Amino acid sequence: ARLRSEFPSTPLTLLSALADGADRLLAELALGAGMRLAVVLPMPIALYETDFDDGSRAEFHALLAQAEYVTELPVLSGVTLEDIREHGLAREQQYAQVGAYLAAHSAILIALWDGVELQKIGGTSQVVRFKLDGIPAPFAPPKSELDAPDCGPVYHIVTPRRSNPQTVSRAFVVH
């Protein structure tokens, strides 16, 4: 609401991978506020949706149908579709690639996150680091002198996880 009031002529778009949880909550809020939705998927839809149960898959497709833009990122160099079919390092790197894409292409990164720094590849803490510190190889896109920096502001909304209700600061505070 604040961005819309300060920049009334600027069209606002939420860029999301529509992962279970916070991604979808923000997508629903953005659509409800009249924002556009652009979806960037870490892999082909058929592989990505294997991460979801039936109810989650239906929710995913309902939001996907409201997106103005949908793209699937290619698999990383040296990786095949077969390599990312099962959970493991190659699949985690695909999630890191979509996190890097979101960080690089977002004016503001909104992170609903408990603030716990984990070393998980493709996790929220890594995506926040990408936005704050820049994107390292192999996830960094090719650069030219005219490119905007790939780092910038993060709105961190401290949010407990179902699996761990402990947060680094008071829940629902915005940093």
Side-chain angles (χ1 to χ4, degrees):
R2 192 185 98 224
L3 290 172
R4 191 169 297 290
S5 70
E6 289 182 23
F7 307 99
S9 297
T10 302
L12 299 175
T13 302
L14 179 74
L15 184 59
S16 175
L18 294 182
D20 252 335
D23 281 24
R24 296 192 192 162
L25 174 63
L26 286 175
E28 289 172 7
L29 291 170
L31 288 166
M35 292 175 63
R36 299 179 327 197
L37 176 62
V39 176
V40 181
L41 303 175
M43 60 194 69
I45 290 175
L47 285 176
Y48 188 43
E49 68 183 7
T50 64
D51 285 350
F52 313 136
D53 63 26
D54 290 341
S56 176
R57 195 173 298 113
E59 180 183 61
F60 168 75
H61 282 283
L63 287 167
L64 196 64
Q66 297 178 69
E68 289 188 25
Y69 172 81
V70 178
T71 190
E72 299 171 353
L73 295 180
V75 294
L76 290 165
S77 179
V79 176
T80 67
L81 289 176
E82 195 57 39
D83 295 335
I84 62 171
R85 194 165 303 284
E86 300 296 325
H87 286 275
L89 180 60
R91 193 174 177 104
E92 290 171 357
Q93 288 178 323
Q94 286 299 125
Y95 285 107
Q97 179 187 24
V98 80
Y101 187 98
L102 295 172
H105 293 87
S106 297
I108 299 168
L109 181 74
I110 301 171
L112 276 67
W113 176 44
D114 59 10
V116 176
E117 291 276 348
L118 300 174
Q119 299 306 313
K120 183 178 176 189
I121 297 171
T124 304
S125 57
Q126 185 180 46
V127 178
V128 168
R129 293 271 50 99
F130 286 166
K131 188 64 177 175
L132 293 174
D133 301 335
I135 301 167
F139 309 110
K143 291 284 188 187
S144 86
E145 294 78 20
L146 300 177
D147 288 340
D150 58 5
C151 55
V154 173
Y155 285 18
H156 173 199
I157 303 168
V158 179
T159 311
R161 293 180 183 273
R162 287 184 183 148
S163 61
N164 178 20
Q166 300 300 316
T167 59
V168 295
S169 66
R170 195 164 48 93
F172 309 113
V173 169
V174 178
H175 298 283

